[in-house]
Amino acid sequence: MATVMLMHWPEVSKEQYEKVRKSVNWEGQPPDGGKFHTAWIGSDGFHAFDLWESKEKFEAFVQNRLAPGVAAAGITGQPKVEFAESLSIFAPNV
């Protein structure tokens, strides 16, 4: 079953996210197991919602690709990350 990942990282700015996005290149080279990603800046900082084949696939992506991009962008602090098993997936207009 697919895994939902929710991330909240108050210290991340839009500019830093764009640097990470560019260096990690997940749109040009989709990560193994990644199914869906969206991100936004709320009143309390950066948020992301992902759908992955498994928590382990997300963790491999973090270790192999995301962590180096985060370090290169100068992002500090640690995100709050939550995982849950997806009960259903419906995205007709994506």
Side-chain angles (χ1 to χ4, degrees), residues 3-9 36-40 46-52 55 58 79-85:
T3 298
V4 172
M5 186 284 302
L6 291 169
M7 179 183 289
H8 177 222
W9 203 336
F36 181 84
H37 170 81
T38 189
W40 66 97
F46 174 81
H47 295 265
F49 166 82
D50 288 3
L51 188 63
W52 288 83
K55 180 180 176 183
F58 172 74
K80 177 183 177 190
V81 179
E82 297 179 48
F83 295 96
E85 186 175 295

Side-chain angles (χ1 to χ4, degrees), residues 40-84:
W40 66 97
I41 301 291
S43 61
D44 59 347
F46 174 81
H47 295 265
F49 166 82
D50 288 3
L51 188 63
W52 288 83
E53 287 178 8
S54 68
K55 180 180 176 183
E56 293 76 22
K57 296 271 186 171
F58 172 74
E59 290 171 342
F61 169 70
V62 169
Q63 182 177 6
N64 298 322
R65 292 177 61 186
L66 187 59
V70 166
I75 296 172
T76 61
Q78 291 295 316
K80 177 183 177 190
V81 179
E82 297 179 48
F83 295 96

Side-chain angles (χ1 to χ4, degrees), residues 14-48:
K14 181 180 178 192
E15 293 75 23
Q16 288 172 315
Y17 170 75
E18 291 299 336
K19 284 181 187 178
V20 173
R21 189 172 157 220
K22 187 178 258 186
S23 70
V24 172
N25 189 28
W26 52 67
E27 291 152 340
Q29 290 183 304
D32 180 39
K35 295 179 165 286
F36 181 84
H37 170 81
T38 189
W40 66 97
I41 301 291
S43 61
D44 59 347
F46 174 81
H47 295 265

